[in-house]
Amino acid sequence: QVQFAESGGGLVQSGGSLRLSCKVSSNIFSYYVPGWFRQAPGKERELVAQINTTFAKNYADFVKGRFNIARDNARNMVYLQMDNLKPEDSARYFCNVLDNNDRGMMPWGPGTEVTVSS
């Protein structure tokens, strides 16, 4: 069974940076599109960024210019560099691979919590 392990979250002040990492238990990133999602309390999970098998990247409008997604297929890793963080970025962040509807395809991992103070 595919398992995701996210890390790198924490508490940061507005304008600060964090780098999230996601380790997957198989080489699934070589065959599917990995992405980062986030879910804030009381809100639905939303797609933040994705990077396809040709390394083309897409971002949600609310993070464009501030976040950067990267992948390392050899290490079964995907990363999310988050700069100029805002309080509204506070959420639990998850990685997964995307289905045809840009939703997570596999069982979700525990995620990593990001809190941005104003």
Side-chain angles (χ1 to χ4, degrees), residues 6 9 14 55 111:
E6 302 91 347
S14 182
F55 294 84

Side-chain angles (χ1 to χ4, degrees), residues 39-89:
Q39 187 170 21
K43 295 187 177 181
E44 292 188 354
R45 191 158 7 215
E46 58 187 359
L47 179 62
V48 174
Q50 60 180 286
I51 179 168
N52 69 16
T53 52
T54 62
F55 294 84
K57 305 175 184 181
N58 281 296
Y59 299 93
D61 287 344
F62 50 79
V63 303
K64 278 182 181 177
R66 301 188 296 121
F67 289 13
N68 182 59
I69 188 171
R71 61 191 292 172
D72 185 338
N73 290 349
R75 291 181 170 83
N76 297 333
M77 298 285 294
V78 65
Y79 307 96
L80 187 67
Q81 176 66 39
M82 307 187 297
D83 298 321
N84 192 20
L85 283 161
K86 304 176 181 180
E88 51 264 42
D89 294 318

Side-chain angles (χ1 to χ4, degrees), residues 85-98:
L85 283 161
K86 304 176 181 180
E88 51 264 42
D89 294 318
S90 297
R92 180 163 289 271
Y93 285 71
F94 304 84
C95 64
N96 210 314
V97 290
L98 276 62

Side-chain angles (χ1 to χ4, degrees), residues 16-49:
S17 297
L18 285 172
R19 184 176 186 248
L20 307 184
S21 299
C22 172
K23 173 75 173 177
V24 66
S25 58
S26 74
N27 62 347
I28 194 172
F29 289 161
S30 298
Y31 303 101
Y32 294 94
V33 177
W36 282 96
F37 298 76
R38 72 185 187 186
Q39 187 170 21
K43 295 187 177 181
E44 292 188 354
R45 191 158 7 215
E46 58 187 359
L47 179 62
V48 174

